[in-house]
Amino acid sequence: MTDLIESEDELLDPPAGPAVAAPPHRLASALHRLRERTPLGAGEEIDPDRRRRLGLAALLAVAIAAGAGATGVAVHSRDLDHAQTRTQDRVLLHLLGGGASMNFGGDISQDIGAPGTFQTPLSADFTVAVRNDGAKPLQVTAVGIAVPGVDVVAAAPATTLAPGDSESLTSRVAVHCTAADLPRYPSGVTLTVRTPAADGKAAGAPTSLPLAFDAGHPSALPLASNGVFTEVDGFSTTSTSSFYQLCGDVLTMIPPRVSATASPGDASQRNPVVGYTLHIDNSPDAAQMAVVLAKPPAVPGVSAQTDLAGPEQIGSQGLDVNVTDRITDCDAFGTYLAVRGGATQAPEALNAATPIGLQPVDPRFQTTPTPLSITAQAVFDGVTPGTADLQSTLLTQLAAVCPML
């Protein structure tokens, strides 16, 4: 029983002995096992000649890899230089302004009048501006314009652009305003470009370069390509990128005929009212309507009113509108006339205050209404045959209202 107890004590508290070696680190053990699996194996277990051959083979592989890397770098560098050269040779022709600019009739020196009818295609200058941002000169040999309802009459001449140069390319086109498929804006052009002949080298092969316009890029600049107002038959036109605005502007140059008749009345200082009736003929080529101007022209001392309640289309029999001019200040009116030739200019001054405008019925061509006074001006001058009676009647009524005139 005592021996048994002593044995249990020995198990619980074993006698001291030599220290057991700590197990190797796991990573070191893994590297040891990996080394044993390599072709070289343990140093004491491999033939020295085999070890030398394997070492030389490893060095040769490293040298081959290094040589291939250096060759790849050289090839890549050469490819980059070639790509840069190709980039410099690319066509870098940029559109300026985002679209085309159009002017009716072109330069005023050509003295082109308005078309006799809206059915006649109108002549216009179609201009695009480009800049050469490439490293070599470029020659633009053709400007392709493909727009429904538009014919190219005269193409823009060939133009050579040095690097960094800008140029306007102008073609003459005929616009069919009555074409059902005429778009509001052109969508773009296609330029034919090439490198020009130089230093004994032939010109390069032509390349088609499409240029897309910005969607809707109208211009309200009232300047022609020569930098001045374009005026045709007394009407000023504007530069625009819209075919509809171009047609609307031209339509104002084909106004309907207007006649005027003085309204009977008892004009006096107590009743300072002068009136007349305007008859507007129908325009069969393009339907128009009469509208009340939001801001009628101001004539000092005159307040003009009309019985036109709102937009009214001019029918086949024409349209009659009445205008009533109330003289509110004889002195102010007299001063206004004094700097314009005197009392004989009074009928034209009354016409200038007419609060009525003309506008196309077709919403595509509606622009700022044209004052009816521009169309009716000849009726009030007293010089045009058949207008003397109107001028005489109006002057008599004005003299009754303002004796000092």
Side-chain angles (χ1 to χ4, degrees):
M1 189 60 124
T2 302
D3 293 338
L4 179 59
I5 294 175
E6 290 178 354
S7 297
E8 290 177 349
D9 292 339
E10 291 177 355
L11 290 175
L12 295 174
D13 189 12
V20 180
H25 193 276
R26 293 181 180 180
L27 179 60
S29 300
L31 290 176
H32 181 72
R33 291 193 299 271
L34 179 64
R35 181 173 179 274
E36 291 180 347
R37 293 191 182 97
T38 60
L40 296 178
E44 66 276 11
E45 298 176 358
I46 188 170
D47 182 53
D49 291 338
R50 184 185 178 195
R51 180 189 296 275
R52 183 174 61 256
R53 290 195 300 271
L54 290 176
L56 291 175
L59 292 175
L60 180 61
V62 171
I64 292 176
T71 304
V73 170
V75 171
H76 181 64
S77 177
R78 186 171 63 252
D79 288 344
L80 288 178
D81 293 340
H82 181 61
Q84 183 177 7
T85 302
R86 290 182 60 189
T87 300
Q88 293 177 347
D89 290 343
R90 283 190 308 173
V91 176
L92 295 177
L93 202 61
H94 289 170
L95 177 70
L96 302 179
S101 176
M102 291 173 285
N103 289 89
F104 169 71
D107 193 290
I108 59 174
S109 62
Q110 300 179 22
D111 193 24
I112 299 178
T117 170
F118 200 58
Q119 305 294 330
T120 302
L122 61 90
S123 179
D125 280 347
F126 186 101
T127 302
V128 293
V130 293
R131 183 182 65 237
N132 180 12
D133 289 338
K136 292 184 178 181
L138 286 177
Q139 185 179 46
V140 181
T141 60
V143 179
I145 302 173
V147 180
V150 178
D151 302 326
V152 178
V153 178
T159 303
T160 299
L161 291 87
D165 281 359
S166 302
E167 190 66 44
S168 295
L169 311 174
T170 301
S171 304
R172 178 57 61 89
V173 297
V175 181
H176 298 258
C177 293
T178 57
D181 55 352
L182 179 70
R184 178 181 294 274
Y185 300 107
S187 59
V189 295
T190 300
L191 304 183
T192 302
V193 299
R194 66 180 183 182
T195 54
D199 300 330
K201 295 183 180 179
T207 301
S208 294
L209 179 65
L211 296 179
F213 295 163
D214 294 346
H217 194 81
S219 171
L221 184 64
L223 298 177
S225 57
N226 59 353
V228 298
F229 283 93
T230 300
E231 187 169 322
V232 182
D233 288 352
F235 293 87
S236 294
T237 63
T238 59
S239 296
T240 179
S241 61
S242 167
F243 289 115
Y244 292 173
Q245 181 175 345
L246 183 71
C247 293
D249 287 343
V250 172
L251 190 56
T252 64
M253 304 179 192
I254 318 174
R257 291 184 301 175
V258 178
S259 57
T261 305
S263 302
D266 185 16
S268 65
Q269 293 181 349
R270 292 186 177 182
N271 183 37
V273 175
V274 177
Y276 50 89
T277 299
L278 295 173
H279 178 80
I280 310 171
D281 286 349
N282 180 40
S283 298
D285 291 334
Q288 298 195 52
M289 59 182 176
V291 298
V292 179
L293 296 177
K295 293 184 178 180
V299 175
V302 178
S303 175
Q305 297 179 344
T306 177
D307 63 348
L308 185 66
E312 188 169 346
Q313 183 172 343
I314 303 172
S316 59
Q317 302 300 317
L319 177 66
D320 289 331
V321 291
N322 296 316
V323 178
T324 301
D325 293 323
R326 178 174 293 275
I327 311 303
T328 58
D329 190 332
C330 289
D331 291 337
F333 189 41
T335 302
Y336 177 83
L337 295 176
V339 297
R340 288 168 174 77
T344 57
Q345 303 302 313
E348 292 185 80
L350 296 179
N351 171 60
T354 302
I356 301 173
L358 296 175
Q359 200 171 48
V361 173
D362 192 330
R364 296 181 302 167
F365 307 138
Q366 289 181 0
T367 59
T368 303
T370 303
L372 183 59
S373 58
I374 296 178
T375 304
Q377 183 175 2
V379 179
F380 291 85
D381 61 11
V383 178
T384 304
T387 63
D389 291 343
L390 173 64
Q391 187 183 51
S392 176
T393 301
L394 292 177
L395 287 175
T396 300
Q397 293 180 354
L398 285 171
V401 174
C402 300
M404 70 288 297
L405 294 179

